[in-house]
Amino acid sequence: MTHSSCSITMAQSPGAVEEILDRDNKRMADSLASKVTRLKSDSDFTSMTGLLTGSVKRFSTMARSGRDNRKLLCGMAVGLIVAFFILSYLLSRART
């Protein structure tokens, strides 16, 4: 099919051209949506990494300073472990 006959064919069926353009538009919109989702998840991961890094630095600083802070740290660690097990138990009971 030559270029001129292709133009005539498209001119004769504007609905087909619209359908092709619509299909391409939807494909590109889907591609863009997946890229945006990927960027958001990367951003969430980066912010979570920053939060964890800051927490580890504060924890390390507290652990290095004096005996009183070590007692406090041990108490906090035990408390967090107990809270974790309580939450795990409650969540498992809620699912059943």
Side-chain angles (χ1 to χ4, degrees):
M1 185 184 284
T2 65
H3 179 65
S4 59
S5 63
C6 184
S7 299
I8 293 170
T9 304
M10 281 196 235
Q12 290 175 346
S13 58
V17 173
E18 250 181 71
E19 186 179 322
I20 292 169
L21 291 175
D22 190 42
R23 204 175 332 140
D24 284 348
N25 191 26
K26 286 179 183 178
R27 182 184 50 78
M28 287 190 277
D30 290 343
S31 173
L32 182 61
S34 70
K35 289 176 184 176
V36 168
T37 301
R38 195 172 339 128
L39 285 173
K40 283 184 179 179
S41 67
D42 287 349
S43 174
D44 291 345
F45 180 74
T46 302
S47 65
M48 186 58 78
T49 302
L51 178 66
L52 288 174
T53 302
S55 298
V56 168
K57 284 181 183 177
R58 286 190 296 274
F59 186 81
S60 298
T61 302
M62 193 185 299
R64 276 189 244 122
S65 64
R67 184 176 177 197
D68 291 336
N69 282 341
R70 287 190 190 132
K71 287 181 183 177
L72 176 67
L73 255 157
C74 287
M76 283 177 40
V78 169
L80 287 172
I81 291 169
V82 169
F84 172 77
F85 282 113
I86 290 172
L87 284 173
S88 296
Y89 174 75
L90 291 174
L91 286 174
S92 68
R93 298 270 299 174
R95 289 183 186 160
T96 57

